[in-house]
Amino acid sequence: MPDLADPTISSIKRGDLRIHTFTAPDDFLADSTHVLETDGALVVIDGQFVAPYAVAFRRFVDAFDKPIRKLYLSHSHVDHWFGLSTAFPDVPVWAAEATIEELRHTAESERAARRMQYGPMVPDAVVMPQHVAEPGHDTVDGVDYHLDVVRNAECGAQLVLTLPGHGVTIAQDLVYSQTHVYVTRDAANTVALLRIMATSGSDVFLAGHGPVADSAEVLHNADYLAFAEQRLAHDDPATFKEALLAAYPQRRCPQLLDIFIPRLYETSTVEALR
């Protein structure tokens, strides 16, 4: 990847399961994708954002020389599905029905808009998930997965996978690990979900941004959102940003604030005009 920083790769072992996390540099929002490896199969979570890291992630996955039994797309945000189009067009993708429906309506316009911003680093075409990931249970190479779809949290629909026999929850963008946390206007639902998740029995949480998290980091996310919601009720955009940066100076990817703050205040302006 010329002129781009290397990704960060980490691995942990949980019994018969090995979990590998591939995280882009902070300049690309510490975007995290994961490979769950057993003796005979791989399960892949999301596909990275821009093409260089998507292609590098595919090379990383192929180096295991094992079949990809499932590739799950957690939600419809571009930094998670763009890489599927770039590097995994030959692999069937599972996603929540609401995610597939949203992509049918928005994926091409999102791709075209980001093409103007990032040029050849975004995909040339859209690859739609082919399979609906229904809430319920699945087993891949002897590992049990519990599938759930969380609605109206960080986005409209988020696929969450729990491995009850291994103490692992694949939360993706419900958890931002060591980075600033994406704030939406109605964060109370996400705060409640995070507090429940932290006491769910899992002690490993695969995040959509940053390294693998623990239950303490999940609670830190809830506290961040509660603080942001309190400040949002009174602050103008500049003061709101200053408050978050001052309260959480150790958190990485401050550019996240420049993504969500305009959207927060655009929403409030529209609501005030109604």
Side-chain angles (χ1 to χ4, degrees), residues 8 10 47:
T8 300
S10 64

Side-chain angles (χ1 to χ4, degrees), residues 148-170:
D148 196 9
V149 178
V150 172
R151 295 184 180 275
N152 302 318
E154 196 259 2
C155 65
Q158 178 96 210
L159 183 65
V160 177
L161 299 97
T162 304
L163 285 61
H166 295 79
V168 175
T169 293
I170 305 169

Side-chain angles (χ1 to χ4, degrees), residues 175-187:
V175 176
Y176 285 69
S177 182
Q178 301 179 16
T179 72
H180 283 275
V181 182
Y182 193 98
V183 179
T184 60
R185 179 144 285 275
D186 291 317

Side-chain angles (χ1 to χ4, degrees), residues 11-140:
S11 299
I12 60 174
K13 196 171 188 300
R14 305 286 288 188
D16 57 346
L17 180 70
R18 293 166 295 280
I19 301 169
H20 311 279
T21 295
F22 180 109
T23 302
D26 288 2
D27 286 348
F28 293 92
L29 304 178
D31 197 51
S32 288
T33 47
H34 313 278
V35 184
L36 286 76
E37 179 196 8
T38 49
D39 287 342
L42 304 174
V43 172
V44 175
I45 309 297
D46 292 346
Q48 281 294 313
F49 181 17
V50 295
Y53 294 110
V55 170
F57 181 52
R58 178 62 189 266
R59 286 199 302 265
F60 177 72
V61 173
D62 287 347
F64 292 106
D65 196 25
K66 295 179 180 180
I68 301 173
R69 287 278 297 277
K70 287 286 176 70
L71 197 167
Y72 288 108
L73 172 62
S74 62
H75 64 296
S76 62
H77 289 170
V78 296
D79 53 331
H80 294 267
W81 71 260
F82 265 14
L84 303 182
S85 304
T86 302
F88 293 92
D90 58 321
V91 179
V93 179
W94 275 256
E97 185 172 16
T99 297
I100 297 172
E101 186 62 23
E102 182 171 355
L103 289 176
R104 287 196 183 104
H105 288 93
T106 65
E108 182 52 43
S109 61
E110 286 273 20
R111 189 200 66 79
R114 297 306 175 102
R115 186 81 173 180
M116 298 282 291
Q117 183 179 7
Y118 290 102
M121 291 186 25
V122 305
D124 293 325
V126 171
V127 172
M128 295 295 298
Q130 301 90 346
H131 302 282
V132 175
E134 298 281 3
H137 294 271
D138 193 11
T139 301
V140 180

